[in-house]
């Protein structure tokens, strides 16, 4: 196993010709895909990894300067693909990883046959003629809460993000992976994500994009999906799912997994 693979806990399952890369969002790790993977391993070679800063990665490897922008994560993704000698893949990116995959696909479009995004947003902050869902004041309160008492913040944030009560298994799962992050790293990652703005590069994304979104999502309003659809540089398709929450592949697998499989297997009609 190479250095990059080891650092990101890369796992490769299945033996199909077509490679699928699964990339998780903030506060989770590759375990968020546990309901999807069994449906893929018979037909695909499945690559999973943990974003640097996830609780499963070595915090000593987290470079605060490198991960102050989403490009740092995109370079990691490209390094993983290079180390595994992946010539092309279907990329499934949840939340921030949707945009991380997009940045990587601008740099190396030859490596991606399509991007499947779940709950992705090019900007979380509201702006003139743009609704991202948050005001700067909301974000400052969020960062202050992480800073002042991380565990208390996790306990409050997990049920809101997942959409469920504290005792539900998906909320407990998300709470566990959130708790596993080192608080200073979690704050830095949250600041990078919530302050990011990738609207200006959307027109450069020529790889076909499948945009999937929960009808109710604390982090990403449904209107954001339409914004992505209108501004991407290549072909795109949107499907709003009847799921609730920002981690629907974990909280509503019965709804989400069939949708995901359909978008993985079928290409946008030319």
């Amino acid at each position: 196993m190479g250095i990059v693979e080891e650092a990101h806990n890369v796992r490769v399952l299945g033996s199909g010709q077509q490679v699928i890369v699964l990339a998780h969002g903030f506060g989770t790790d590759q375990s968020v895909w546990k309901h999807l993977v069994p449906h893929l391993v018979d037909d695909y070679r499945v690559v999973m990894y943990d974003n640097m800063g996830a609780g499963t990665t070595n915090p000593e490897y987290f470079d605060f300067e490198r991960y102050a922008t989403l490009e740092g994560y995109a370079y990691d993704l490209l390094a993983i693909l290079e180390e595994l000698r992946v010539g092309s893949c279907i990329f499934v990116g949840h939340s921030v990883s949707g945009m991380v995959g997009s940045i990587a696909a601008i740099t190396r479009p030859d490596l991606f046959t399509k991007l499947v995004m779940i709950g992705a947003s090019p900007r979380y902050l509201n702006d003139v003629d743009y609704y991202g869902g948050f005001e700067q004041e909301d974000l400052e309160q969020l960062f202050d809460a992480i800073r002042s008492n991380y565990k208390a913040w996790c306990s409050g944030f997990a049920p809101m993000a997942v959409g469920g009560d504290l005792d539900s298994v998906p909320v407990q799962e998300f709470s566990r992976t959130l708790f596993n992050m080192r608080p200073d790293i979690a704050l830095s990652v949250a600041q990078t994500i919530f302050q990011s703005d990738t609207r200006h590069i959307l027109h450069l994304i020529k790889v076909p994009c499948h945009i999937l979104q929960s009808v109710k999502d604390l982090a990403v309003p449904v209107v954001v999906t339409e914004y992505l659809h209108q501004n991407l540089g290549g072909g795109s398709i949107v499907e709003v799912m009847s799921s609730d929450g920002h981690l629907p592949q974990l909280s509503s697998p019965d709804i989400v997994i069939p949708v995901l499989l359909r978008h993985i297997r079928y290409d946008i009609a030319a």
Side-chain angles (χ1 to χ4, degrees), residues 128-190:
V128 179
D129 298 329
Y130 177 82
Y131 182 69
F134 295 87
E135 295 292 343
Q136 187 63 46
E137 188 183 340
D138 302 327
L139 295 185
E140 294 305 335
Q141 288 175 355
L142 178 106
F143 302 147
D144 284 344
I146 294 175
R147 215 179 267 117
S148 60
N149 189 332
Y150 183 61
K151 290 208 163 182
W153 175 77
C154 289
S155 298
F157 182 72
M160 285 196 301
V162 174
D165 58 54
L166 267 171
D167 297 328
S168 76
V169 173
V171 170
Q172 289 184 343
E173 286 262 318
F174 186 46
S175 297
R176 175 183 63 80
T177 54
L178 262 182
F179 278 142
N180 281 343
M181 293 183 78
R182 206 172 77 185
D184 59 330
I185 290 175
L187 174 62
S188 177
V189 173

Side-chain angles (χ1 to χ4, degrees), residues 187-203:
L187 174 62
S188 177
V189 173
Q191 288 172 325
T192 295
I193 293 170
F194 283 109
Q195 305 278 12
S196 66
D197 188 350
T198 53
R199 292 175 301 171
H200 62 290
I201 62 167
L202 295 178
H203 70 284

